[in-house]
Structure formats: C-alpha cells, structure tokens
Amino acid sequence: METTVNSESPSNLTAPDRNLALELVRVTEAAAIAGGRWVGAGDKNRADGAAVDAMRSFMDTVRMNGTVVIGEGEKDEAPMLFNGEKVGDGSGPDVDVAVDPIDGTRLTAMGYDNALAVFAVAERGSMYDPSAVFYMDKMVVGPEAADFVDLRLPVKQNINLVAKALGKPVEQVTVCVLERPRHEKLVEEIRTAGARVKFIMDGDVAGAIAAARGTGVDMLLGAGGTPEGIVAACAIKATGGMIQGRLAPKDDEEKQKAIDAGHDLDRVLTTDDLVTTDNCYFAATGITHGDLLRGVRYDKDYVHTHSIVMRATSGTVRFVDAEHRVEKWDRWLKG
C-alpha cells in the first residue's frame, strides 16, 4: 500500500511513501555523528544522551506524524525517546516509530564493533506491542531458509535445515549468538550439532540483519531484546529473510504482566506478527565499524558516515556514503 499521486483513498493518503526513506537516513546520520564522538570514552550514558538529543532534533523535521511505540532507554536507565512521544513535524502520514539512537551503547563506550543508530517507521498500528516484556527468544535466517525452519524445533534440526537450504555442510553454518551466561546451553547445542558460533557482545539488530542478508552469518539464535526484534523485523521485511520470536519474561512479575495483557507466551511470533504491514522502512548508520556498515570517521574537514536504508514495499536496499562538513556539525561534535 503505497501513496500515489492519483489515489484518493484515505489509507493511501495517510501511508508513508518512498520520499520518507532518505529523510530517515538524515536522522540516523545525526545520531551516529553525535554518539560517535563518545566511541571508546567509556561512558555509555553520555554517548546515548548525545545520540538521543541529535536524533530528536532531526526527527522533528521529518514529514510525518509519528508516535514512538518502541522507544529506548528504560532498560539502561539512560536518556530516552520514550514510548508515546510524538515525533516528526506533524504534517505527514500517521506512523509507528521504532527507534534506538544507539543499538550497542556498551559497544560504543568500549570502542567495539557493530554499534548502530537505527530508526524504523511503519503505518500506524502495525508494530507489535510487547507490553513491557523486554526479552524474546529469537531465530533469524535469510530468504533461502525462511520457509523451512521453526523456532519450536530442536536447535540441531533447525541447523540441519539451514544447511540443506543453503546447500552447504553443517560445519560451514555460522550461528550468531549474544555472548551471555544464559546462552551456555544453546552454544553447546550449536557446537554439538557441528555448526560454528559467532559471538556478539551487544547489538543484536546488526546480528539479525547480518543473518537475514547472509553477510558471513547464516542464522541468529538466542534471547535478546524484544524492541530490537521489532526494529529488525522492519529490515527483514525488505530482505526477504525471516525472524521468529517467542516472548521470554525475565521474572514472574513480568510474566504475569504479559498474561494480564493477553499474551500467549507459547506463541511463536513471525515477521508479519511483529510488523503487520509491508509499508515500512528501516534506516541505520554505523557508529563503529561492523559486519554491515563502516563506523563514523573523522578528518580535519569532514565527518564520513555509512548508512543503509530499506523499503519493504519494493524490497529496495540502498547503501549511502556521505560526507558532512565539520563546521556544520560543530554542535554535535563538541559533545
């Protein structure tokens, strides 16, 4: 469902159109440039605060009437773009907004790879509401294996199915996993199945996209952030890959809240459950170097950024290399 010049239907008049794509990149570029100032400085909250301020300033110039439904900050006790916040200039389409000014605040603070500024939008009411359940068990694969795997199957069986779909031996299958104590059993199962493990410290949006696009990773498994899963689903809509998730409350209190909100904790959520429309966009800019994007680079006169923008309606993926004159970005570069 795409806005067209000749269409008069109310749904089309309020849907995001293709012109939104590069506006979103401007927002993630701003967050990356501001947050990148703090790479390696050891202070994730100051990095996140700088990125939030820059993202909010630029987001309010975007032609959209947006509501943040997937915000950031509450888990990390950091500055936030909060759920329910109105963003955009108010003149454009009504959209849900999922945002993380820095996916990988610890990666940024420590100068590690794969930190991104990310921003996704979709038609109003189309993004899944996890009701404050912050974690979910996830599986992401690329388009070749999307129709074969199932989160309810044993790990070994899913790995074998991925290997068959990709036409490669199991020992060449690489599975991306967040490096956490909770994943010790999962890692053992993956290795027992004969596959390789690629650990990431944080930033499972980057890991999910890497798995969906086949950039050296064939699969992502394990428990990670529910908000990050919804953001990643917007990107996966464009790539043709697949994400499946199952809510994983961290304690009995969160479990009861989920049940009270009507969630079936045994239900496997698909890409289309997490984002119900194809009229959605995803944009990201690298803060530190990674598998998907190069990080922010500085020289005397310019700041260099590397971004990706995806449009699910057309399946278009664009990479954007940009140079920004330092003197024009003085406010954000000073931190």
Side-chain angles (χ1 to χ4, degrees):
M1 187 168 57
E2 177 181 311
T3 301
T4 60
V5 173
N6 296 324
S7 175
E8 297 297 334
S9 73
S11 60
N12 275 354
L13 290 173
T14 59
D17 65 27
R18 63 176 64 85
N19 297 323
L20 194 56
L22 290 180
E23 291 194 64
L24 303 187
V25 173
R26 291 176 54 247
V27 175
T28 57
E29 286 173 344
I33 289 170
R37 167 68 177 77
W38 297 95
V39 169
D43 191 333
K44 70 176 187 177
N45 283 352
R46 292 193 72 174
D48 202 41
V52 167
D53 289 344
M55 181 169 272
R56 181 179 279 121
S57 294
F58 277 74
M59 195 157 42
D60 286 342
T61 70
V62 176
R63 186 182 173 277
M64 65 180 182
N65 179 26
T67 301
V68 176
V69 298
I70 303 295
E72 68 85 45
E74 295 172 336
K75 280 193 297 181
D76 296 330
E77 299 180 357
M80 68 177 73
L81 282 152
F82 56 87
N83 290 358
E85 181 172 351
K86 300 298 182 182
V87 294
D89 69 2
S91 68
D94 296 334
V95 294
D96 287 346
V97 173
V99 60
D100 196 344
I102 300 182
D103 178 48
T105 52
R106 184 166 63 128
L107 302 178
T108 300
M110 302 305 293
Y112 294 139
D113 289 350
N114 285 319
L116 303 174
V118 300
F119 187 17
V121 302
E123 292 180 51
R124 178 66 52 81
S126 62
M127 288 187 182
Y128 181 74
D129 179 4
S131 302
V133 179
F134 286 130
Y135 294 97
M136 68 188 328
D137 295 320
K138 302 177 193 176
M139 177 171 59
V140 179
V141 296
E144 299 87 353
D147 293 333
F148 300 98
V149 296
D150 191 313
L151 189 59
R152 293 163 292 197
L153 295 175
V155 168
K156 181 177 181 179
Q157 186 173 350
N158 276 321
I159 290 172
N160 287 333
L161 289 168
V162 169
K164 184 176 181 180
L166 296 178
K168 62 166 66 174
V170 169
E171 58 267 23
Q172 291 182 13
V173 172
T174 300
V175 184
C176 183
V177 180
L178 275 170
E179 189 174 11
R180 299 288 188 273
R182 65 177 179 265
H183 288 150
E184 288 180 2
K185 183 176 183 296
L186 171 63
V187 169
E188 182 181 348
E189 289 183 85
I190 294 169
R191 288 174 172 162
T192 299
R196 306 167 177 174
V197 175
K198 179 175 182 177
F199 285 114
I200 53 174
M201 287 185 57
D202 290 295
D204 64 346
V205 171
I209 297 171
R213 285 181 58 81
T215 55
V217 173
D218 302 304
M219 192 177 194
L220 177 138
L221 287 174
T226 304
E228 288 85 348
I230 297 166
V231 171
C234 288
I236 291 167
K237 282 268 187 174
T239 67
M242 180 278 300
I243 180 171
Q244 291 182 4
R246 184 167 47 210
L247 294 178
K250 65 180 185 293
D251 53 35
D252 288 340
E253 181 181 357
E254 192 171 279
K255 180 178 180 180
Q256 189 58 51
K257 286 181 179 178
I259 293 171
D260 292 344
H263 290 300
D264 178 357
L265 298 180
D266 293 322
R267 180 187 176 192
V268 173
L269 301 162
T270 66
T271 312
D272 289 334
D273 292 320
L274 296 175
V275 183
T276 60
T277 179
D278 278 348
N279 204 341
C280 60
Y281 297 82
F282 171 90
T285 300
I287 298 174
T288 59
H289 292 301
D291 298 325
L292 183 67
L293 296 168
R294 298 188 301 275
V296 181
R297 292 155 290 143
Y298 305 89
D299 59 34
K300 179 181 177 182
D301 298 315
Y302 291 95
V303 183
H304 304 266
T305 57
H306 188 214
S307 305
I308 189 171
V309 58
M310 305 182 185
R311 180 171 178 251
T313 302
S314 60
T316 302
V317 177
R318 290 185 173 92
F319 287 89
V320 181
D321 279 295
E323 295 179 346
H324 314 265
R325 286 196 64 84
V326 167
E327 63 192 48
K328 303 292 186 180
W329 289 82
D330 189 58
R331 172 185 175 188
W332 307 115
L333 293 173
K334 285 183 176 179

